[in-house]
Amino acid sequence: GENVEQHPSTLSVQEGDSAVIKCTYSDSASNYFPWYKQELGKGPQLIIDIRSNVGEKKDQRIAVTLNKTAKHFSLHITETQPEDSAVYFCAYSGAGSYQLTFGKGTKLSVIP
Amino acid sequence: NAGVTQTPKFQVLKTGQSMTLQCAQDMNHEYMSWYRQDPGMGLRLIHYSVGAGITDQGEVPNGYNVSRSTTEDFPLRLLSAAPSQTSVYFCASSPPGTKNIQYFGAGTRLSVL
């Protein structure tokens, strides 16, 4: 079936540095690409999303870029802070679909 | 407005026991879904519902039943629990007209011995 590969599975950065997480998908009909942040003991929280008619979207220190030709999208976090430490999940869904397919997650650790 | 509420937060079952995981939302969301989260596996869709009276299977439906008698509630039933169902379960819902955007509850951690 359709899936999404997420890399890396773990990422450690120094506070203030940037972090990049990349996902590659296989379904060419996909048109919605959200990123979720999950803190320990909590449910996933939507932090940013992008649709296929947009190449890049920013929200303060986070940004998502989409390359539909190469079928990959990435999460960029700049000026990382300790509170950015969490597990991040990418996901995608197809046109008209409610169903999200999730990546396996990236555990980000920001070292003070 | 409490968002998506899941109960219980923790549960321990013995193999063969049955139980129902509760999920409720007070935001008049049409779409609701259940996921399970296992280490290194991300979130996998179990069942979903696009409105009251309508349910459908996701990626991993075996061993689980759902019903949607009201817009607010979407319970997940385990009829005969198995150790393979040890997991963290999340319920999510989507506002009308947004389809893909999903808001998650805090989860239910289930252990089956």
Side-chain angles (χ1 to χ4, degrees):
Chain A
E2 308 296 351
N3 57 32
V4 55
E5 293 189 3
Q6 182 172 345
H7 296 282
S9 57
T10 60
L11 179 60
S12 292
V13 299
Q14 292 289 332
E15 182 178 357
D17 287 349
S18 296
V20 181
I21 304 169
K22 180 178 177 179
C23 285
T24 303
Y25 62 98
S26 56
D27 184 0
S28 58
S30 303
N31 69 345
Y32 176 67
F33 307 89
W35 285 90
Y36 285 82
K37 175 183 181 182
Q38 186 178 26
E39 297 176 336
L40 194 62
K42 297 184 179 180
Q45 180 183 12
L46 179 68
I47 56 172
I48 196 167
D49 58 9
I50 192 168
R51 298 195 182 268
S52 60
N53 58 342
V54 177
E56 182 177 6
K57 183 177 179 181
K58 289 184 179 180
D59 183 2
Q60 299 182 9
R61 295 187 297 106
I62 61 174
V64 55
T65 59
L66 172 64
N67 184 328
K68 285 216 75 179
T69 301
K71 295 183 184 176
H72 64 72
F73 56 110
S74 299
L75 177 70
H76 304 255
I77 305 174
T78 59
E79 301 174 23
T80 54
Q81 301 169 2
E83 51 265 39
D84 294 329
S85 296
V87 178
Y88 292 82
F89 292 96
C90 66
Y92 75 89
S93 70
S97 174
Y98 286 96
Q99 298 186 45
L100 289 175
T101 299
F102 284 84
K104 294 184 178 181
T106 297
K107 183 177 181 180
L108 174 64
S109 300
V110 180
I111 304 166
Chain B
N1 186 334
V4 179
T5 303
Q6 291 186 238
T7 56
K9 295 188 184 304
F10 303 94
Q11 183 70 50
V12 179
L13 293 177
K14 294 182 179 179
T15 297
Q17 286 185 316
S18 63
M19 80 159 294
T20 299
L21 280 64
Q22 302 292 343
C23 176
Q25 50 86 15
D26 60 358
M27 301 171 285
N28 199 32
H29 287 181
E30 297 171 341
Y31 179 79
M32 297 185 73
S33 55
W34 277 101
Y35 294 85
R36 60 177 290 172
Q37 183 177 36
D38 303 292
M41 297 293 291
L43 293 108
R44 293 181 292 170
L45 182 65
I46 304 172
H47 285 285
Y48 65 97
S49 169
V50 299
I54 306 170
T55 63
D56 208 343
Q57 297 180 351
E59 179 186 355
V60 288
N62 292 341
Y64 308 95
N65 284 343
V66 292
S67 60
R68 185 88 181 273
S69 57
T70 67
T71 299
E72 294 77 21
D73 301 297
F74 190 43
L76 178 72
R77 297 184 184 86
L78 285 71
L79 298 180
S80 179
S84 60
Q85 294 179 304
T86 294
S87 187
V88 181
Y89 292 85
F90 290 99
C91 178
S93 70
S94 292
T98 62
K99 289 192 174 176
N100 327 91
I101 297 175
Q102 296 188 29
Y103 298 93
F104 284 81
T108 295
R109 184 175 295 275
L110 176 67
S111 295
V112 182
L113 306 178

